[in-house]
Amino acid sequence: MAGWGDLLGYAAATLTTCSFVPQVWHTWRSRDVSGISLGMYAVFTLGVFLWLCYGWLAGAWPIVVANAITLSLALAILAMKLRWQRA
Amino acid sequence: MAGWGDLLGYAAATLTTCSFVPQVWHTWRSRDVSGISLGMYAVFTLGVFLWLCYGWLAGAWPIVVANAITLSLALAILAMKLRWQRA
């Protein structure tokens, strides 16, 4: 699969990676973390870290780059959840 | 890459897919959607749909199955956000 298929994959990766930017911004501005599931971000962050390791082992740099960005955004949301959940 | 590498990929896919279950449950019980970013779930849902199309075109069934489950969970969160955001 090449051409359109590759383009579709890059579009999908860009959207799922960038989608966490509005959540980081929303949470940073509102400090409203009660509706965010700690379980989701704990499990998701670990999963994205494993994707990063998988990409590294496979030498698949698009997977490494996309998951490194997603990992940093998910960690930011997780940190804000832990920091502000009792405020 | 096989063996440990494949196992790592399946573990990563399982975690990132299942991570949305606690968020669906948390939102369903609390109806607390103010801290959830509409932008995130709109963009994420579209991205997961494109991953599903990519997997379908590539005949990569693990990608199709994982993204079909994630899509249904993300759609549930998006629907609850839209339904309850003004309540």
Side-chain angles (χ1 to χ4, degrees), chain A residues 1 5 8-9 12 15-16 19-20 22-23 26 32 34-35 37 40 43-44 51 54 58, chain B residues 1 5 9 12 15-16 19-20 23 26 32 34-35 37 40 43-44 47 51 54 58:
Chain A
M1 191 170 66
L8 194 60
L15 289 180
T16 52
S19 67
F20 290 89
Q23 181 66 65
H26 183 81
D32 179 359
S34 62
S37 164
M40 169 182 160
V43 175
F44 186 78
W51 273 125
Y54 174 84
Chain B
M1 190 170 64
L15 289 180
T16 51
S19 67
F20 290 89
Q23 181 67 66
H26 183 80
D32 180 359
S34 62
S37 163
M40 169 183 159
V43 175
F44 186 78
W51 273 126
Y54 174 84

PDB file of all heavy atoms in Angstrom, chain A residues 1 5 8-9 12 15-16 19-20 22-23 26 32 34-35 37 40 43-44 51 54 58, chain B residues 1 5 9 12 15-16 19-20 23 26 32 34-35 37 40 43-44 47 51 54 58:
ATOM      1  N   MET A   1       0.854  -1.205   0.000  1.00  0.00           N
ATOM      2  CA  MET A   1       0.000   0.000   0.000  1.00  0.00           C
ATOM      3  C   MET A   1       0.885   1.247   0.000  1.00  0.00           C
ATOM      4  O   MET A   1       1.744   1.398   0.838  1.00  0.00           O
ATOM      5  CB  MET A   1      -0.889   0.002   1.238  1.00  0.00           C
ATOM      6  CG  MET A   1      -1.962   1.057   1.183  1.00  0.00           C
ATOM      7  SD  MET A   1      -3.174   0.866   2.503  1.00  0.00           S
ATOM      8  CE  MET A   1      -2.190   1.202   3.935  1.00  0.00           C
ATOM      9  N   GLY A   5      -2.868   5.392   0.479  1.00  0.00           N
ATOM     10  CA  GLY A   5      -2.866   4.671   1.751  1.00  0.00           C
ATOM     11  C   GLY A   5      -1.926   5.315   2.756  1.00  0.00           C
ATOM     12  O   GLY A   5      -2.299   5.537   3.907  1.00  0.00           O
ATOM     13  N   LEU A   8      -3.346   8.564   3.986  1.00  0.00           N
ATOM     14  CA  LEU A   8      -4.410   8.305   4.962  1.00  0.00           C
ATOM     15  C   LEU A   8      -3.810   8.017   6.335  1.00  0.00           C
ATOM     16  O   LEU A   8      -4.280   8.532   7.359  1.00  0.00           O
ATOM     17  CB  LEU A   8      -5.235   7.099   4.480  1.00  0.00           C
ATOM     18  CG  LEU A   8      -6.580   6.825   5.124  1.00  0.00           C
ATOM     19  CD1 LEU A   8      -7.517   8.010   4.941  1.00  0.00           C
ATOM     20  CD2 LEU A   8      -7.199   5.578   4.468  1.00  0.00           C
ATOM     21  N   GLY A   9      -2.747   7.206   6.360  1.00  0.00           N
ATOM     22  CA  GLY A   9      -2.078   6.888   7.619  1.00  0.00           C
ATOM     23  C   GLY A   9      -1.473   8.116   8.280  1.00  0.00           C
ATOM     24  O   GLY A   9      -1.607   8.315   9.488  1.00  0.00           O
ATOM     25  N   ALA A  12      -4.301  10.274   9.656  1.00  0.00           N
ATOM     26  CA  ALA A  12      -4.832   9.665  10.878  1.00  0.00           C
ATOM     27  C   ALA A  12      -3.901   9.918  12.055  1.00  0.00           C
ATOM     28  O   ALA A  12      -4.337  10.331  13.141  1.00  0.00           O
ATOM     29  CB  ALA A  12      -5.020   8.154  10.671  1.00  0.00           C
ATOM     30  N   LEU A  15      -4.010  13.609  13.179  1.00  0.00           N
ATOM     31  CA  LEU A  15      -5.238  13.959  13.906  1.00  0.00           C
ATOM     32  C   LEU A  15      -5.253  13.372  15.317  1.00  0.00           C
ATOM     33  O   LEU A  15      -5.548  14.082  16.283  1.00  0.00           O
ATOM     34  CB  LEU A  15      -6.481  13.491  13.136  1.00  0.00           C
ATOM     35  CG  LEU A  15      -6.817  14.257  11.858  1.00  0.00           C
ATOM     36  CD1 LEU A  15      -8.069  13.683  11.213  1.00  0.00           C
ATOM     37  CD2 LEU A  15      -7.024  15.746  12.144  1.00  0.00           C
ATOM     38  N   THR A  16      -4.942  12.068  15.453  1.00  0.00           N
ATOM     39  CA  THR A  16      -5.016  11.469  16.803  1.00  0.00           C
ATOM     40  C   THR A  16      -3.929  12.048  17.724  1.00  0.00           C
ATOM     41  O   THR A  16      -4.151  12.181  18.917  1.00  0.00           O
ATOM     42  CB  THR A  16      -4.931   9.924  16.762  1.00  0.00           C
ATOM     43  OG1 THR A  16      -3.801   9.515  16.013  1.00  0.00           O
ATOM     44  CG2 THR A  16      -6.183   9.316  16.137  1.00  0.00           C
ATOM     45  N   SER A  19      -4.984  15.849  18.542  1.00  0.00           N
ATOM     46  CA  SER A  19      -6.271  16.000  19.234  1.00  0.00           C
ATOM     47  C   SER A  19      -6.092  16.322  20.719  1.00  0.00           C
ATOM     48  O   SER A  19      -6.969  16.932  21.331  1.00  0.00           O
ATOM     49  CB  SER A  19      -7.107  14.727  19.073  1.00  0.00           C
ATOM     50  OG  SER A  19      -6.518  13.651  19.763  1.00  0.00           O
ATOM     51  N   PHE A  20      -4.960  15.941  21.311  1.00  0.00           N
ATOM     52  CA  PHE A  20      -4.758  16.172  22.744  1.00  0.00           C
ATOM     53  C   PHE A  20      -4.361  17.625  23.053  1.00  0.00           C
ATOM     54  O   PHE A  20      -4.420  18.028  24.212  1.00  0.00           O
ATOM     55  CB  PHE A  20      -3.728  15.186  23.314  1.00  0.00           C
ATOM     56  CG  PHE A  20      -4.271  13.788  23.364  1.00  0.00           C
ATOM     57  CD1 PHE A  20      -4.127  12.932  22.284  1.00  0.00           C
ATOM     58  CD2 PHE A  20      -4.977  13.342  24.472  1.00  0.00           C
ATOM     59  CE1 PHE A  20      -4.666  11.651  22.303  1.00  0.00           C
ATOM     60  CE2 PHE A  20      -5.517  12.067  24.507  1.00  0.00           C
ATOM     61  CZ  PHE A  20      -5.362  11.220  23.415  1.00  0.00           C
ATOM     62  N   PRO A  22      -6.030  20.531  22.200  1.00  0.00           N
ATOM     63  CA  PRO A  22      -7.145  21.288  22.791  1.00  0.00           C
ATOM     64  C   PRO A  22      -7.505  20.843  24.210  1.00  0.00           C
ATOM     65  O   PRO A  22      -7.951  21.661  25.015  1.00  0.00           O
ATOM     66  CB  PRO A  22      -8.318  21.045  21.818  1.00  0.00           C
ATOM     67  CG  PRO A  22      -7.882  19.979  20.877  1.00  0.00           C
ATOM     68  CD  PRO A  22      -6.399  19.953  20.888  1.00  0.00           C
ATOM     69  N   GLN A  23      -7.289  19.546  24.544  1.00  0.00           N
ATOM     70  CA  GLN A  23      -7.572  19.103  25.914  1.00  0.00           C
ATOM     71  C   GLN A  23      -6.566  19.695  26.905  1.00  0.00           C
ATOM     72  O   GLN A  23      -6.942  20.134  27.989  1.00  0.00           O
ATOM     73  CB  GLN A  23      -7.552  17.567  26.009  1.00  0.00           C
ATOM     74  CG  GLN A  23      -7.865  17.022  27.407  1.00  0.00           C
ATOM     75  CD  GLN A  23      -9.295  17.311  27.835  1.00  0.00           C
ATOM     76  OE1 GLN A  23     -10.232  16.815  27.251  1.00  0.00           O
ATOM     77  NE2 GLN A  23      -9.475  18.137  28.862  1.00  0.00           N
ATOM     78  N   HIS A  26      -7.546  23.383  27.254  1.00  0.00           N
ATOM     79  CA  HIS A  26      -8.809  23.498  28.009  1.00  0.00           C
ATOM     80  C   HIS A  26      -8.564  23.282  29.508  1.00  0.00           C
ATOM     81  O   HIS A  26      -9.058  24.047  30.342  1.00  0.00           O
ATOM     82  CB  HIS A  26      -9.794  22.444  27.482  1.00  0.00           C
ATOM     83  CG  HIS A  26     -11.152  22.484  28.106  1.00  0.00           C
ATOM     84  ND1 HIS A  26     -12.124  23.379  27.705  1.00  0.00           N
ATOM     85  CD2 HIS A  26     -11.703  21.756  29.098  1.00  0.00           C
ATOM     86  CE1 HIS A  26     -13.219  23.186  28.432  1.00  0.00           C
ATOM     87  NE2 HIS A  26     -12.996  22.205  29.280  1.00  0.00           N
ATOM     88  N   ASP A  32     -10.268  22.588  35.449  1.00  0.00           N
ATOM     89  CA  ASP A  32     -11.453  21.761  35.701  1.00  0.00           C
ATOM     90  C   ASP A  32     -11.105  20.312  35.363  1.00  0.00           C
ATOM     91  O   ASP A  32     -11.174  19.897  34.211  1.00  0.00           O
ATOM     92  CB  ASP A  32     -12.594  22.276  34.808  1.00  0.00           C
ATOM     93  CG  ASP A  32     -13.881  21.482  34.973  1.00  0.00           C
ATOM     94  OD1 ASP A  32     -13.894  20.514  35.758  1.00  0.00           O
ATOM     95  OD2 ASP A  32     -14.862  21.839  34.304  1.00  0.00           O
ATOM     96  N   SER A  34     -12.252  17.507  37.308  1.00  0.00           N
ATOM     97  CA  SER A  34     -13.117  16.509  37.950  1.00  0.00           C
ATOM     98  C   SER A  34     -13.740  15.538  36.942  1.00  0.00           C
ATOM     99  O   SER A  34     -13.999  14.383  37.273  1.00  0.00           O
ATOM    100  CB  SER A  34     -14.213  17.199  38.765  1.00  0.00           C
ATOM    101  OG  SER A  34     -15.035  17.970  37.913  1.00  0.00           O
ATOM    102  N   GLY A  35     -13.969  15.992  35.693  1.00  0.00           N
ATOM    103  CA  GLY A  35     -14.595  15.135  34.699  1.00  0.00           C
ATOM    104  C   GLY A  35     -13.616  14.274  33.928  1.00  0.00           C
ATOM    105  O   GLY A  35     -14.013  13.447  33.110  1.00  0.00           O
ATOM    106  N   SER A  37     -10.989  11.298  33.664  1.00  0.00           N
ATOM    107  CA  SER A  37     -10.735  10.033  34.346  1.00  0.00           C
ATOM    108  C   SER A  37      -9.241   9.805  34.570  1.00  0.00           C
ATOM    109  O   SER A  37      -8.464   9.743  33.612  1.00  0.00           O
ATOM    110  CB  SER A  37     -11.311   8.884  33.517  1.00  0.00           C
ATOM    111  OG  SER A  37     -10.770   7.653  33.950  1.00  0.00           O
ATOM    112  N   MET A  40      -8.217   6.566  32.898  1.00  0.00           N
ATOM    113  CA  MET A  40      -7.959   6.671  31.458  1.00  0.00           C
ATOM    114  C   MET A  40      -6.544   7.162  31.195  1.00  0.00           C
ATOM    115  O   MET A  40      -5.802   6.555  30.422  1.00  0.00           O
ATOM    116  CB  MET A  40      -8.942   7.625  30.762  1.00  0.00           C
ATOM    117  CG  MET A  40      -8.485   7.933  29.336  1.00  0.00           C
ATOM    118  SD  MET A  40      -9.504   9.091  28.406  1.00  0.00           S
ATOM    119  CE  MET A  40      -8.298   9.598  27.151  1.00  0.00           C
ATOM    120  N   VAL A  43      -3.657   4.638  32.209  1.00  0.00           N
ATOM    121  CA  VAL A  43      -3.531   3.503  31.288  1.00  0.00           C
ATOM    122  C   VAL A  43      -3.087   3.980  29.903  1.00  0.00           C
ATOM    123  O   VAL A  43      -2.217   3.363  29.269  1.00  0.00           O
ATOM    124  CB  VAL A  43      -4.869   2.722  31.205  1.00  0.00           C
ATOM    125  CG1 VAL A  43      -4.798   1.619  30.156  1.00  0.00           C
ATOM    126  CG2 VAL A  43      -5.225   2.131  32.565  1.00  0.00           C
ATOM    127  N   PHE A  44      -3.656   5.100  29.437  1.00  0.00           N
ATOM    128  CA  PHE A  44      -3.317   5.620  28.109  1.00  0.00           C
ATOM    129  C   PHE A  44      -1.840   6.009  28.014  1.00  0.00           C
ATOM    130  O   PHE A  44      -1.160   5.691  27.035  1.00  0.00           O
ATOM    131  CB  PHE A  44      -4.213   6.825  27.786  1.00  0.00           C
ATOM    132  CG  PHE A  44      -4.038   7.347  26.390  1.00  0.00           C
ATOM    133  CD1 PHE A  44      -4.622   6.711  25.306  1.00  0.00           C
ATOM    134  CD2 PHE A  44      -3.282   8.482  26.150  1.00  0.00           C
ATOM    135  CE1 PHE A  44      -4.460   7.186  24.021  1.00  0.00           C
ATOM    136  CE2 PHE A  44      -3.107   8.970  24.859  1.00  0.00           C
ATOM    137  CZ  PHE A  44      -3.697   8.321  23.795  1.00  0.00           C
ATOM    138  N   TRP A  51       3.887   1.960  22.852  1.00  0.00           N
ATOM    139  CA  TRP A  51       3.927   2.219  21.404  1.00  0.00           C
ATOM    140  C   TRP A  51       5.260   2.843  21.000  1.00  0.00           C
ATOM    141  O   TRP A  51       5.834   2.528  19.959  1.00  0.00           O
ATOM    142  CB  TRP A  51       2.799   3.161  20.965  1.00  0.00           C
ATOM    143  CG  TRP A  51       1.498   2.503  20.639  1.00  0.00           C
ATOM    144  CD1 TRP A  51       0.274   2.786  21.182  1.00  0.00           C
ATOM    145  CD2 TRP A  51       1.278   1.462  19.670  1.00  0.00           C
ATOM    146  NE1 TRP A  51      -0.683   1.980  20.623  1.00  0.00           N
ATOM    147  CE2 TRP A  51      -0.095   1.156  19.696  1.00  0.00           C
ATOM    148  CE3 TRP A  51       2.110   0.758  18.797  1.00  0.00           C
ATOM    149  CZ2 TRP A  51      -0.665   0.183  18.883  1.00  0.00           C
ATOM    150  CZ3 TRP A  51       1.546  -0.220  18.000  1.00  0.00           C
ATOM    151  CH2 TRP A  51       0.177  -0.496  18.042  1.00  0.00           C
ATOM    152  N   TYR A  54       7.835   0.162  21.000  1.00  0.00           N
ATOM    153  CA  TYR A  54       7.599  -0.689  19.835  1.00  0.00           C
ATOM    154  C   TYR A  54       8.173  -0.039  18.566  1.00  0.00           C
ATOM    155  O   TYR A  54       8.878  -0.680  17.788  1.00  0.00           O
ATOM    156  CB  TYR A  54       6.096  -0.931  19.685  1.00  0.00           C
ATOM    157  CG  TYR A  54       5.698  -1.673  18.439  1.00  0.00           C
ATOM    158  CD1 TYR A  54       5.727  -3.064  18.386  1.00  0.00           C
ATOM    159  CD2 TYR A  54       5.272  -0.983  17.295  1.00  0.00           C
ATOM    160  CE1 TYR A  54       5.347  -3.750  17.244  1.00  0.00           C
ATOM    161  CE2 TYR A  54       4.898  -1.657  16.144  1.00  0.00           C
ATOM    162  CZ  TYR A  54       4.943  -3.034  16.126  1.00  0.00           C
ATOM    163  OH  TYR A  54       4.581  -3.706  15.002  1.00  0.00           O
ATOM    164  N   ALA A  58      11.275  -1.345  16.255  1.00  0.00           N
ATOM    165  CA  ALA A  58      10.991  -1.647  14.850  1.00  0.00           C
ATOM    166  C   ALA A  58      11.701  -0.677  13.910  1.00  0.00           C
ATOM    167  O   ALA A  58      11.649  -0.853  12.695  1.00  0.00           O
ATOM    168  CB  ALA A  58       9.479  -1.603  14.604  1.00  0.00           C
TER     169      ALA A  58
ATOM    170  N   MET B   1      10.744  -7.917  12.798  1.00  0.00           N
ATOM    171  CA  MET B   1      10.519  -7.925  14.255  1.00  0.00           C
ATOM    172  C   MET B   1       9.393  -8.900  14.587  1.00  0.00           C
ATOM    173  O   MET B   1       8.307  -8.809  14.049  1.00  0.00           O
ATOM    174  CB  MET B   1      10.133  -6.526  14.743  1.00  0.00           C
ATOM    175  CG  MET B   1      10.137  -6.440  16.249  1.00  0.00           C
ATOM    176  SD  MET B   1       9.981  -4.740  16.811  1.00  0.00           S
ATOM    177  CE  MET B   1       8.374  -4.328  16.214  1.00  0.00           C
ATOM    178  N   GLY B   5       8.723  -8.198  20.152  1.00  0.00           N
ATOM    179  CA  GLY B   5       8.270  -6.969  19.493  1.00  0.00           C
ATOM    180  C   GLY B   5       6.766  -7.000  19.244  1.00  0.00           C
ATOM    181  O   GLY B   5       6.054  -6.038  19.542  1.00  0.00           O
ATOM    182  N   GLY B   9       3.720  -4.656  20.836  1.00  0.00           N
ATOM    183  CA  GLY B   9       2.721  -3.964  20.018  1.00  0.00           C
ATOM    184  C   GLY B   9       1.300  -4.293  20.457  1.00  0.00           C
ATOM    185  O   GLY B   9       0.451  -3.407  20.571  1.00  0.00           O
ATOM    186  N   ALA B  12       0.616  -2.609  23.804  1.00  0.00           N
ATOM    187  CA  ALA B  12       0.405  -1.174  23.591  1.00  0.00           C
ATOM    188  C   ALA B  12      -1.000  -0.918  23.042  1.00  0.00           C
ATOM    189  O   ALA B  12      -1.730  -0.045  23.536  1.00  0.00           O
ATOM    190  CB  ALA B  12       1.460  -0.624  22.630  1.00  0.00           C
ATOM    191  N   LEU B  15      -3.704  -1.506  25.729  1.00  0.00           N
ATOM    192  CA  LEU B  15      -3.768  -0.435  26.735  1.00  0.00           C
ATOM    193  C   LEU B  15      -4.389   0.841  26.172  1.00  0.00           C
ATOM    194  O   LEU B  15      -5.284   1.424  26.797  1.00  0.00           O
ATOM    195  CB  LEU B  15      -2.373  -0.138  27.306  1.00  0.00           C
ATOM    196  CG  LEU B  15      -1.776  -1.210  28.220  1.00  0.00           C
ATOM    197  CD1 LEU B  15      -0.395  -0.763  28.701  1.00  0.00           C
ATOM    198  CD2 LEU B  15      -2.672  -1.475  29.420  1.00  0.00           C
ATOM    199  N   THR B  16      -3.927   1.300  25.003  1.00  0.00           N
ATOM    200  CA  THR B  16      -4.462   2.568  24.476  1.00  0.00           C
ATOM    201  C   THR B  16      -5.942   2.420  24.090  1.00  0.00           C
ATOM    202  O   THR B  16      -6.705   3.365  24.207  1.00  0.00           O
ATOM    203  CB  THR B  16      -3.635   3.118  23.283  1.00  0.00           C
ATOM    204  OG1 THR B  16      -3.470   2.099  22.303  1.00  0.00           O
ATOM    205  CG2 THR B  16      -2.265   3.583  23.734  1.00  0.00           C
ATOM    206  N   SER B  19      -8.044   2.080  27.507  1.00  0.00           N
ATOM    207  CA  SER B  19      -7.946   3.232  28.414  1.00  0.00           C
ATOM    208  C   SER B  19      -9.208   4.094  28.373  1.00  0.00           C
ATOM    209  O   SER B  19      -9.515   4.787  29.347  1.00  0.00           O
ATOM    210  CB  SER B  19      -6.720   4.083  28.053  1.00  0.00           C
ATOM    211  OG  SER B  19      -6.881   4.685  26.793  1.00  0.00           O
ATOM    212  N   PHE B  20      -9.958   4.060  27.267  1.00  0.00           N
ATOM    213  CA  PHE B  20     -11.150   4.904  27.170  1.00  0.00           C
ATOM    214  C   PHE B  20     -12.343   4.343  27.942  1.00  0.00           C
ATOM    215  O   PHE B  20     -13.316   5.060  28.174  1.00  0.00           O
ATOM    216  CB  PHE B  20     -11.505   5.159  25.701  1.00  0.00           C
ATOM    217  CG  PHE B  20     -10.506   6.056  25.031  1.00  0.00           C
ATOM    218  CD1 PHE B  20      -9.381   5.529  24.413  1.00  0.00           C
ATOM    219  CD2 PHE B  20     -10.655   7.438  25.067  1.00  0.00           C
ATOM    220  CE1 PHE B  20      -8.430   6.355  23.829  1.00  0.00           C
ATOM    221  CE2 PHE B  20      -9.710   8.275  24.487  1.00  0.00           C
ATOM    222  CZ  PHE B  20      -8.602   7.726  23.868  1.00  0.00           C
ATOM    223  N   GLN B  23     -12.938   6.260  31.172  1.00  0.00           N
ATOM    224  CA  GLN B  23     -13.472   7.608  30.895  1.00  0.00           C
ATOM    225  C   GLN B  23     -14.964   7.539  30.562  1.00  0.00           C
ATOM    226  O   GLN B  23     -15.744   8.366  31.035  1.00  0.00           O
ATOM    227  CB  GLN B  23     -12.699   8.272  29.753  1.00  0.00           C
ATOM    228  CG  GLN B  23     -13.170   9.689  29.422  1.00  0.00           C
ATOM    229  CD  GLN B  23     -12.887  10.671  30.554  1.00  0.00           C
ATOM    230  OE1 GLN B  23     -11.744  10.949  30.869  1.00  0.00           O
ATOM    231  NE2 GLN B  23     -13.935  11.212  31.179  1.00  0.00           N
ATOM    232  N   HIS B  26     -16.716   6.866  33.902  1.00  0.00           N
ATOM    233  CA  HIS B  26     -16.649   8.062  34.752  1.00  0.00           C
ATOM    234  C   HIS B  26     -17.660   9.118  34.277  1.00  0.00           C
ATOM    235  O   HIS B  26     -18.394   9.697  35.088  1.00  0.00           O
ATOM    236  CB  HIS B  26     -15.229   8.629  34.690  1.00  0.00           C
ATOM    237  CG  HIS B  26     -14.979   9.813  35.562  1.00  0.00           C
ATOM    238  ND1 HIS B  26     -14.721   9.702  36.913  1.00  0.00           N
ATOM    239  CD2 HIS B  26     -14.971  11.139  35.289  1.00  0.00           C
ATOM    240  CE1 HIS B  26     -14.546  10.910  37.420  1.00  0.00           C
ATOM    241  NE2 HIS B  26     -14.684  11.801  36.466  1.00  0.00           N
ATOM    242  N   ASP B  32     -20.400  14.703  34.331  1.00  0.00           N
ATOM    243  CA  ASP B  32     -19.523  15.867  34.493  1.00  0.00           C
ATOM    244  C   ASP B  32     -18.683  16.010  33.229  1.00  0.00           C
ATOM    245  O   ASP B  32     -17.640  15.372  33.091  1.00  0.00           O
ATOM    246  CB  ASP B  32     -18.646  15.634  35.728  1.00  0.00           C
ATOM    247  CG  ASP B  32     -17.682  16.784  35.984  1.00  0.00           C
ATOM    248  OD1 ASP B  32     -17.683  17.754  35.205  1.00  0.00           O
ATOM    249  OD2 ASP B  32     -16.932  16.703  36.976  1.00  0.00           O
ATOM    250  N   SER B  34     -17.879  19.173  31.743  1.00  0.00           N
ATOM    251  CA  SER B  34     -17.336  20.523  31.525  1.00  0.00           C
ATOM    252  C   SER B  34     -15.817  20.522  31.324  1.00  0.00           C
ATOM    253  O   SER B  34     -15.285  21.368  30.616  1.00  0.00           O
ATOM    254  CB  SER B  34     -17.717  21.443  32.680  1.00  0.00           C
ATOM    255  OG  SER B  34     -17.159  20.968  33.890  1.00  0.00           O
ATOM    256  N   GLY B  35     -15.110  19.552  31.955  1.00  0.00           N
ATOM    257  CA  GLY B  35     -13.655  19.511  31.838  1.00  0.00           C
ATOM    258  C   GLY B  35     -13.162  18.760  30.616  1.00  0.00           C
ATOM    259  O   GLY B  35     -11.965  18.704  30.356  1.00  0.00           O
ATOM    260  N   SER B  37     -12.678  18.298  26.690  1.00  0.00           N
ATOM    261  CA  SER B  37     -12.565  19.174  25.529  1.00  0.00           C
ATOM    262  C   SER B  37     -13.337  18.606  24.334  1.00  0.00           C
ATOM    263  O   SER B  37     -13.034  17.507  23.856  1.00  0.00           O
ATOM    264  CB  SER B  37     -11.088  19.350  25.166  1.00  0.00           C
ATOM    265  OG  SER B  37     -10.970  19.863  23.851  1.00  0.00           O
ATOM    266  N   MET B  40     -10.963  18.117  21.432  1.00  0.00           N
ATOM    267  CA  MET B  40     -10.188  16.887  21.472  1.00  0.00           C
ATOM    268  C   MET B  40     -10.985  15.712  20.918  1.00  0.00           C
ATOM    269  O   MET B  40     -10.504  14.996  20.041  1.00  0.00           O
ATOM    270  CB  MET B  40      -9.752  16.533  22.914  1.00  0.00           C
ATOM    271  CG  MET B  40      -9.174  15.113  22.973  1.00  0.00           C
ATOM    272  SD  MET B  40      -8.699  14.511  24.600  1.00  0.00           S
ATOM    273  CE  MET B  40      -8.719  12.724  24.268  1.00  0.00           C
ATOM    274  N   VAL B  43     -11.730  15.886  17.023  1.00  0.00           N
ATOM    275  CA  VAL B  43     -10.554  15.596  16.196  1.00  0.00           C
ATOM    276  C   VAL B  43     -10.102  14.141  16.384  1.00  0.00           C
ATOM    277  O   VAL B  43      -9.768  13.446  15.417  1.00  0.00           O
ATOM    278  CB  VAL B  43      -9.398  16.575  16.530  1.00  0.00           C
ATOM    279  CG1 VAL B  43      -8.126  16.207  15.777  1.00  0.00           C
ATOM    280  CG2 VAL B  43      -9.808  18.005  16.209  1.00  0.00           C
ATOM    281  N   PHE B  44     -10.123  13.658  17.650  1.00  0.00           N
ATOM    282  CA  PHE B  44      -9.680  12.293  17.935  1.00  0.00           C
ATOM    283  C   PHE B  44     -10.576  11.257  17.232  1.00  0.00           C
ATOM    284  O   PHE B  44     -10.076  10.297  16.644  1.00  0.00           O
ATOM    285  CB  PHE B  44      -9.684  12.062  19.448  1.00  0.00           C
ATOM    286  CG  PHE B  44      -9.117  10.731  19.858  1.00  0.00           C
ATOM    287  CD1 PHE B  44      -7.758  10.519  19.894  1.00  0.00           C
ATOM    288  CD2 PHE B  44      -9.965   9.685  20.210  1.00  0.00           C
ATOM    289  CE1 PHE B  44      -7.235   9.287  20.261  1.00  0.00           C
ATOM    290  CE2 PHE B  44      -9.454   8.445  20.579  1.00  0.00           C
ATOM    291  CZ  PHE B  44      -8.082   8.247  20.602  1.00  0.00           C
ATOM    292  N   GLY B  47      -9.792  11.139  13.633  1.00  0.00           N
ATOM    293  CA  GLY B  47      -8.500  10.484  13.439  1.00  0.00           C
ATOM    294  C   GLY B  47      -8.598   8.967  13.563  1.00  0.00           C
ATOM    295  O   GLY B  47      -8.019   8.232  12.755  1.00  0.00           O
ATOM    296  N   TRP B  51      -7.802   5.934  10.913  1.00  0.00           N
ATOM    297  CA  TRP B  51      -6.991   4.754  11.214  1.00  0.00           C
ATOM    298  C   TRP B  51      -7.726   3.475  10.814  1.00  0.00           C
ATOM    299  O   TRP B  51      -7.134   2.526  10.298  1.00  0.00           O
ATOM    300  CB  TRP B  51      -6.652   4.667  12.716  1.00  0.00           C
ATOM    301  CG  TRP B  51      -5.420   5.404  13.126  1.00  0.00           C
ATOM    302  CD1 TRP B  51      -5.332   6.345  14.107  1.00  0.00           C
ATOM    303  CD2 TRP B  51      -4.092   5.251  12.603  1.00  0.00           C
ATOM    304  NE1 TRP B  51      -4.045   6.789  14.219  1.00  0.00           N
ATOM    305  CE2 TRP B  51      -3.264   6.138  13.311  1.00  0.00           C
ATOM    306  CE3 TRP B  51      -3.538   4.455  11.602  1.00  0.00           C
ATOM    307  CZ2 TRP B  51      -1.897   6.247  13.046  1.00  0.00           C
ATOM    308  CZ3 TRP B  51      -2.180   4.565  11.343  1.00  0.00           C
ATOM    309  CH2 TRP B  51      -1.382   5.453  12.057  1.00  0.00           C
ATOM    310  N   TYR B  54      -7.560   3.149   7.118  1.00  0.00           N
ATOM    311  CA  TYR B  54      -6.194   2.763   6.764  1.00  0.00           C
ATOM    312  C   TYR B  54      -5.991   1.256   6.983  1.00  0.00           C
ATOM    313  O   TYR B  54      -5.462   0.558   6.112  1.00  0.00           O
ATOM    314  CB  TYR B  54      -5.216   3.563   7.631  1.00  0.00           C
ATOM    315  CG  TYR B  54      -3.770   3.168   7.465  1.00  0.00           C
ATOM    316  CD1 TYR B  54      -2.992   3.683   6.448  1.00  0.00           C
ATOM    317  CD2 TYR B  54      -3.182   2.276   8.362  1.00  0.00           C
ATOM    318  CE1 TYR B  54      -1.669   3.323   6.309  1.00  0.00           C
ATOM    319  CE2 TYR B  54      -1.854   1.903   8.229  1.00  0.00           C
ATOM    320  CZ  TYR B  54      -1.103   2.423   7.195  1.00  0.00           C
ATOM    321  OH  TYR B  54       0.201   2.058   7.064  1.00  0.00           O
ATOM    322  N   ALA B  58      -5.274  -1.600   4.184  1.00  0.00           N
ATOM    323  CA  ALA B  58      -4.027  -2.361   4.283  1.00  0.00           C
ATOM    324  C   ALA B  58      -4.277  -3.830   4.614  1.00  0.00           C
ATOM    325  O   ALA B  58      -3.345  -4.630   4.624  1.00  0.00           O
ATOM    326  CB  ALA B  58      -3.125  -1.729   5.343  1.00  0.00           C
TER     327      ALA B  58
END
